[in-house]
Amino acid sequence: MDAVVAEKLTKEYNGKVAVRGIYFRVHYRECFGFLGPNGAGKTTTVNMIYCLSPVTSGKLTVLGMDVRKHPREIKSRLGVVPQENNLDPDLKVLQNLLVYANYFRIPPATARSRALELLEFFDLADRAGEKVDRLSGGMKRRLTIARALINNPELVILDEPTTGLDPQARHLVWQRLRRLKERGVTLLLTTHYLEEASQLCDRLVIMDRGEILEEGKPGELVARHIGQEVVEVGLEQMEEAATALVVERTGHLLREHLEVGDNLFLFPREKGQAVLQALQDLPLRFSHLLLRPATLEDVFLKLTGRGLQA
Ligand SMILES: Nc1ncnc2c1ncn2[C@@H]1O[C@H](COP(=O)(O)OP(=O)(O)O)[C@@H](O)[C@H]1O
Ligand SMILES: [Mg+2]
């Protein structure tokens, strides 16, 4: 059995399709990701999983239960971190957790000890008595995640857990999410950060315009579509002739190339160094020339012709 099973899952808003007949499975104890740009349908999908938004058609089973038949039971066993923080700004940090615990009818003594433990876990213990609006963005996000754990959920859904945070705050959140996973909590997250997806997810789907384009382990997806390395080429004049020359001279070393805007992306069959060498012998001036490891961004680029931030 899986934590979430979606079959031909579809969501329409007034006849406009936001999620188009998607299939996916989230296994217990894994971290599963939805990677995609704005408007891909990530939030719409997770809103259906946590029974906030009704399914238009298709099948959706969460923790073994049909979302149409058992929304209350499902909600009681999930933790949810929505895309926008919805903490109560008038309450203090600890009170936010206690009020939330009350929705789940957790006895006050249990709620209090669990809340204090969670504040400790998320480095917020010394802020327990502070008003929420005094917290930094990273602290608010950590508090929202702590709140999602108050009912000891089997599955935690995080919609863009670190969007808008600075790198340091983001790394702290990642570290805590990894520890949660080690404790056996199933995590389902959405993100448009390729680094977040590759750092945290055991498996992920790449989503765009309401559809799932690919599914797999981050490293496998990169290896399958791109390879080990990428050579990025910017030509001073992106003329057809110059581009053609680059492709002609390096083609035998490449598994594929892509032209996106002002950039040419070369995907070497083997060592990128050999491609660089071949380029240096050409009578062309490059505005930039970069050899770097292949990433999920390259996979997205190849699948859609666009970047993830677009
Ligand atoms: N409440 C809504 N009413 C109408 N359209 C919506 C609503 N929520 C989302 N959409 C549309 O559905 C599509 C997917 O949006 P969303 O699920 O928010 O994507 P993501 O979370 O990947 O950015 C977008 O085209 C968006 O405009
Ligand atoms: Mg969203």
Side-chain angles (χ1 to χ4, degrees):
M1 208 182 74
D2 285 309
V4 183
V5 181
E7 287 168 3
K8 218 172 175 186
L9 178 64
T10 299
K11 177 74 186 186
E12 295 178 12
Y13 294 109
N14 307 318
K16 189 172 157 269
V17 180
V19 170
R20 194 178 295 274
I22 61 173
Y23 292 75
F24 63 88
R25 281 173 176 269
V26 179
H27 305 326
Y28 279 104
R29 304 173 80 89
E30 75 176 345
C31 178
F32 186 87
F34 289 84
L35 174 68
N38 276 336
K42 306 182 297 297
T43 296
T44 301
T45 302
V46 299
N47 286 353
M48 291 190 281
I49 295 172
Y50 73 88
C51 309
L52 178 70
S53 165
V55 167
T56 303
S57 68
K59 205 174 154 194
L60 184 58
T61 310
V62 180
L63 304 174
M65 294 172 280
D66 185 330
V67 292
R68 291 188 179 90
K69 291 184 194 141
H70 304 281
R72 287 167 69 98
E73 166 91 27
I74 292 171
K75 282 186 203 169
S76 73
R77 290 167 57 189
L78 289 189
V80 178
V81 178
Q83 185 165 339
E84 307 293 339
N85 289 332
N86 56 355
L87 297 163
D88 190 328
D90 296 325
L91 295 181
K92 293 179 176 152
V93 167
L94 177 61
Q95 286 173 331
N96 258 277
L97 299 185
L98 297 179
V99 166
Y100 205 70
N102 201 32
Y103 296 138
F104 293 101
R105 301 182 188 286
I106 299 169
T110 313
R112 193 174 176 84
S113 72
R114 210 178 276 167
L116 291 172
E117 231 172 82
L118 286 166
L119 290 181
E120 191 70 45
F121 181 77
F122 284 99
D123 269 354
L124 292 166
D126 54 346
R127 304 280 173 163
E130 199 143 4
K131 281 275 257 327
V132 161
D133 55 13
R134 306 268 315 258
L135 301 182
S136 70
M139 289 174 185
K140 281 185 187 145
R141 211 55 184 150
R142 274 159 26 228
L143 181 58
T144 307
I145 302 173
R147 192 187 60 178
L149 294 167
I150 199 78
N151 57 328
N152 263 334
E154 291 147 83
L155 169 65
V156 180
I157 296 173
L158 303 119
D159 196 359
E160 308 243 2
T162 68
T163 293
L165 302 190
D166 61 57
Q168 205 180 345
R170 178 171 301 156
H171 279 274
L172 188 53
V173 169
W174 288 353
Q175 202 187 47
R176 291 305 185 274
L177 293 180
R178 275 195 211 97
R179 275 169 58 184
L180 281 180
K181 214 192 77 183
E182 284 162 14
R183 293 179 174 189
V185 180
T186 306
L187 300 177
L188 187 161
L189 65 87
T190 79
T191 187
H192 64 272
Y193 293 129
L194 72 101
E195 205 195 342
E196 182 156 272
S198 44
Q199 290 258 347
L200 293 178
C201 297
D202 301 302
R203 293 191 310 127
L204 57 87
V205 291
I206 296 180
M207 223 180 157
D208 189 37
R209 297 177 177 163
E211 298 189 67
I212 289 175
L213 305 180
E214 252 299 3
E215 180 197 321
K217 299 181 177 176
E220 277 177 15
L221 287 177
V222 176
R224 189 187 326 151
H225 284 280
I226 311 294
Q228 292 283 317
E229 295 175 319
V230 174
V231 178
E232 271 186 41
V233 183
L235 289 160
E236 284 207 344
Q237 285 156 318
M238 202 68 184
E239 294 163 357
E240 256 176 57
T243 309
L245 185 59
V246 168
V247 174
E248 185 201 308
R249 290 296 176 86
T250 58
H252 63 292
L253 301 170
L254 305 179
R255 42 191 281 181
E256 207 172 324
H257 72 275
L258 275 184
E259 260 184 82
V260 183
D262 289 341
N263 268 312
L264 194 54
F265 293 81
L266 309 179
F267 305 149
R269 279 182 204 285
E270 288 174 25
K271 285 279 156 227
Q273 198 59 45
V275 175
L276 276 190
Q277 203 68 52
L279 289 172
Q280 260 135 27
D281 298 337
L282 293 178
L284 294 172
R285 286 229 291 264
F286 301 106
S287 54
H288 86 269
L289 193 53
L290 174 69
L291 173 60
R292 59 165 176 79
T295 68
L296 283 169
E297 178 100 32
D298 300 309
V299 177
F300 189 81
L301 202 64
K302 179 181 150 182
L303 294 173
T304 66
R306 290 176 289 122
L308 273 162
Q309 312 299 331

